Amino acid sequence: MLNTILCIDDDPITLMLCKMVITKASFSNEIATAKNGEEALKYFNTLKQTNSNSDFKKYPQLIFLDLNMPVMGGWEFLDSFSTADYSDYNDTKVIILSSTIDPEDLEKSKKYPMVIDFLSKPISKEMLEYLKDKI
């Protein structure tokens, strides 16, 4: 079981479903959410400011990321999250969870070393079982 997961999606129903499925599958102790990439970066900035080294492991080990969101989409989030500003979180893995499986998006996702998979919405218990073996 993971300690913390972050779900980034602008759809409140998708976020609710993520929380529900992850909780039922006992996949994570804590589930944080953000409505877009900018909110997610603020979340990480707050973690950086408030966490001491002793509880640094409270940051998410896994992020479920939507691509198409207002304010800051998934690609912009990944571009920012890949910079030195967020190097403290280098071992955080990202699963792109999108409603469109565009082959170009799939190729683009391979340029980001933290992206370990590209899956189609909605999240499911079977998907989490598959990911348990991958993480």
Side-chain angles (χ1 to χ4, degrees):
M1 180 186 283
L2 296 176
N3 194 33
T4 307
I5 290 177
L6 173 62
C7 298
I8 308 171
D9 200 302
D10 60 317
D11 179 24
I13 293 166
T14 299
L15 290 176
M16 185 184 73
L17 183 66
C18 264
K19 280 183 162 183
M20 202 171 72
V21 172
I22 291 166
T23 302
K24 273 192 173 176
S26 300
F27 191 70
S28 177
N29 292 323
E30 194 176 316
I31 305 151
T33 60
K35 293 180 187 84
N36 57 59
E38 187 177 277
E39 203 174 280
L41 293 176
K42 284 180 185 168
Y43 169 81
F44 281 103
N45 291 335
T46 303
L47 281 181
K48 203 186 300 189
Q49 291 166 1
T50 57
N51 277 355
S52 65
N53 288 339
S54 62
D55 51 50
F56 198 66
K57 284 291 166 198
K58 287 189 177 176
Y59 69 87
Q61 292 90 27
L62 185 65
I63 297 171
F64 285 109
L65 177 67
D66 186 25
L67 292 178
N68 301 313
M69 298 176 285
V71 185
M72 180 188 278
W75 297 124
E76 293 88 354
F77 169 79
L78 285 170
D79 288 340
S80 296
F81 198 63
S82 300
T83 64
D85 292 345
Y86 298 95
S87 62
D88 292 345
Y89 309 107
N90 276 349
D91 55 344
T92 298
K93 302 297 179 212
V94 176
I95 305 288
I96 293 176
L97 200 56
S98 185
S99 48
T100 60
I101 301 267
D102 181 341
E104 285 180 28
D105 284 344
L106 191 55
E107 269 317 297
K108 188 175 180 180
S109 73
K110 293 175 183 173
K111 294 176 185 163
Y112 299 94
M114 75 275 289
V115 175
I116 59 168
D117 216 326
F118 193 113
L119 301 170
S120 182
K121 284 182 184 178
I123 193 169
S124 66
K125 202 169 182 176
E126 293 75 28
M127 188 186 289
L128 296 179
E129 287 299 321
Y130 159 77
L131 291 173
K132 273 182 191 173
D133 298 333
K134 194 163 186 152
I135 298 171

